[in-house]
């Protein structure tokens, strides 16, 4: 069955839904493993660094270890994508969750600074680097995997469902952290309760890896292998030589994706407390609602992209997100009681990012699809995703509406980029 012989007219089958479910479940658990670290950063900082270290330096080094996972994402993604284009999507799809689960489990078992001294933070850093390499291959690999299993007319839906699964991984991490901190006192968390979320994530990840054994290689890759039509040279070399326009469009759309998630979903709870003086519990409840809205929006916009095309969906969706973000930040000071509905609605509009993966998947031919998508997505996320918190924080010194202005500016860039999105290619 070739890429073009997967009939666009056929409906999704039970096997398609099984593939989507297993891929989304694995993606959710892998993203949970990747972000659970940040929810216990304070405890980790106290346990893995010298007690005499100044608090600000301990915090800086702890978040430096966390950030190491983002820095190594492009390298991990490029290496895994290289072999995914040459050896098969399924092998790398399964390997990525193994590379995430084992370090997560190991973090839950690591001895602390009190036991082994400086070796403790070094081992923690090593585990975090392995996690970053894994997630660098997981996200692009998952998008490629599901898109090559379903009929072309359902690519947007498949990628949207998978992106929603990644979103639920963030939500799961937040819920587990909230539950643990509710059930245990801070001293009990430090005494060992902080280990449970990592052990749980590692075990669940290994279980998800076992379930992925039941997935099949994508028909697109299997047909290319049968016809000996795989990349004849290093896939990334081919991408950089012949697909620079696709790389540029993909990186710019990923910038919009990262801005929506990093600013609206990840940074805003802290900003609500700092700028608008909303209590922590209310901020977290509102953030949960926004995250659920994001997951629903990912599926909605993915389906819409299948129906009317990604170009108009991205253009109008980016415009609606810009308008909603502005209303959200400008209304809260005068009407704080509208926090929950406004944040939930804003989260839903951030869901336009669910239409981005289908564009990235279609931007590159099958022979170099994994490498092209992985390089563009991971490099853009490492640069813009990493710089966004810094830029927004610096802008906040001059204007409390800085988060809104940043997202609006990137949305305008996204609207412009949407005009250059190519139509579906198979």
């Amino acid at each position: 069955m070739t890429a073009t012989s997967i009939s666009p007219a056929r409906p999704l089958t039970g096997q398609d839904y099984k593939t989507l479910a297993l891929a989304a479940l694995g993606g959710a658990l892998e993203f949970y493993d990747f972000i659970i670290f940040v929810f216990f950063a304070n405890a980790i900082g106290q346990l893995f660094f010298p007690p005499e270290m100044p608090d600000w330096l301990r915090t800086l080094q702890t978040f430096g270890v966390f950030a190491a996972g983002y820095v190594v994402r492009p390298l991990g993604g490029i290496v895994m994508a290289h072999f995914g284009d040459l050896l098969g999507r399924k092998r790398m799809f399964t390997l990525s969750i193994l590379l995430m689960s084992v370090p997560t489990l190991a973090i839950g078992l690591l001895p602390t600074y009190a036991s082994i001294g400086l070796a403790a933070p070094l081992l923690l850093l090593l585990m975090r680097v392995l996690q970053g390499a894994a997630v660098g291959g997981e996200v692009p690999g998952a998008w490629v995997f599901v898109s090559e299993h379903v009929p072309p007319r359902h690519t947007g839906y498949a990628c949207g469902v998978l992106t929603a699964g990644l979103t639920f991984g963030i939500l799961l991490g937040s819920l587990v952290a909230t539950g643990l901190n509710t059930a245990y006192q801070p001293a009990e968390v430090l005494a060992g309760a902080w280990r449970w979320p990592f052990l749980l994530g590692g075990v669940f990840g290994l279980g998800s890896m076992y379930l992925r054994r039941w997935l099949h290689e994508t028909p697109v890759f299997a047909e290319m292998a049968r016809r000996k039509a795989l990349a004849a040279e290093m896939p990334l070399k081919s991408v950089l030589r012949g697909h620079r326009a696709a790389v540029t469009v993909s990186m710019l759309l990923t910038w919009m994706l990262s801005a929506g998630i990093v600013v609206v979903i990840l940074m805003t709870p802290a900003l609500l407390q700092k700028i608008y003086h909303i209590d922590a519990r209310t901020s977290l409840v509102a953030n949960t609602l926004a995250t659920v809205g994001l997951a629903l929006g990912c599926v909605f916009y993915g389906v819409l992209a299948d129906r009317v095309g990604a170009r108009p969906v991205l253009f109008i969706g980016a415009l609606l997100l810009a308008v909603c973000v502005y209303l959200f930040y400008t209304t809260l000071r005068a009407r704080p009681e509208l926090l929950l509905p406004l944040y939930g609605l804003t989260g839903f509009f951030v869901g336009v990012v669910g239409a981005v993966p289908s564009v990235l998947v279609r931007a590159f031919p099958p022979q170099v699809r994994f490498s092209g998508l992985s390089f563009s997505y991971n490099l853009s996320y490492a640069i813009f995703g990493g710089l966004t918190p810094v830029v927004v924080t610096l802008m906040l010194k001059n204007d409390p509406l800085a988060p809104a202005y940043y997202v609006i500016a990137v949305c305008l860039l996204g609207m412009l980029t949407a005009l250059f999105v190519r139509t579906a290619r198979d």
Side-chain angles (χ1 to χ4, degrees), residues 10 15 28-29 32 51 66 81 89-90 135 163 209 214 226 236 246 284 327 334 337 361 365 375 402 415 423 426:
R10 82 161 173 84
Q15 182 61 42
L29 292 175
Y32 164 88
F66 176 73
R89 322 299 200 202
K90 180 186 173 182
V135 83
T163 309
M209 185 193 72
W214 304 106
R226 189 187 68 80
L236 182 58
L284 288 173
L327 290 175
E337 70 275 10
V361 164
F375 174 78
M415 292 169 64
T423 56
D426 303 310

Side-chain angles (χ1 to χ4, degrees), residues 47 108 180 187-197 199:
L47 293 168
L180 193 80
E188 294 175 312
V189 173
L190 282 173
W194 69 272
R195 297 182 183 276
W196 289 111
L199 297 175

Side-chain angles (χ1 to χ4, degrees), residues 142-156:
W143 283 334
V144 170
F145 189 83
V146 297
S147 69
E148 290 186 351
H149 267 287
V150 301
R153 73 186 184 101
H154 293 297
T155 297

